[in-house]
């Protein structure tokens, strides 16, 4: 969620879709990281990056929703708990 308006730049760019969502105070974007048909398969169209502001400051909040208990396996050193990270 974007906490403030940004003078210029600072969007979220979806690299595979060639789309940039510009920050607007109070707005949020939500996307799945997995496909509908197979919840263990990464959704390739959601690769994204935060672009820096050209002018001004950007404040944002990130929230991740997990469909499974990732904390317990992660504490035990399971390598699969980071499968959706790059």
């Amino acid at each position: 969620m974007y906490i403030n308006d940004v003078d210029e730049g600072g969007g979220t760019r979806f690299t595979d879709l060639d789309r940039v969502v510009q920050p607007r105070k109070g707005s949020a974007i939500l996307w799945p990281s997995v496909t509908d048909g197979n919840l263990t398969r990464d959704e390739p169209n959601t690769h994204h990056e935060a672009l820096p502001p050209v002018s001004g400051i950007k404040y944002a909040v990130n929230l991740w929703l997990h469909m499974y208990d990732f904390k317990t396996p992660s504490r035990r050193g399971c390598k699969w708990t980071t499968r959706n990270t790059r």
Side-chain angles (χ1 to χ4, degrees), residues 3-54:
I3 305 301
N4 67 313
D5 291 319
V6 178
D7 295 335
E8 183 181 0
T12 300
R13 183 168 81 98
F14 290 87
T15 54
D16 298 318
L17 299 174
D18 195 29
R19 179 171 172 108
V20 176
V21 177
Q22 290 303 129
R24 195 176 74 231
K25 182 179 180 179
S27 67
I29 49 179
L30 175 69
W31 61 88
S33 62
V34 294
T35 62
D36 288 339
N38 183 348
L39 299 180
T40 63
R41 183 170 176 246
D42 292 351
E43 170 53 73
N45 291 316
T46 60
H47 297 152
H48 62 283
E49 65 180 334
L51 299 174
V54 174

Side-chain angles (χ1 to χ4, degrees), residues 48-85:
H48 62 283
E49 65 180 334
L51 299 174
V54 174
S55 175
I57 297 173
K58 177 172 80 173
Y59 294 103
V61 174
N62 294 324
L63 175 67
W64 290 270
L65 304 174
H66 297 273
M67 297 173 52
Y68 59 92
D69 172 21
F70 70 94
K71 290 182 180 180
T72 302
S74 180
R75 280 190 217 113
R76 295 178 182 160
C78 178
K79 66 179 181 176
W80 298 108
T81 58
T82 58
R83 72 179 185 272
N84 288 330
T85 61

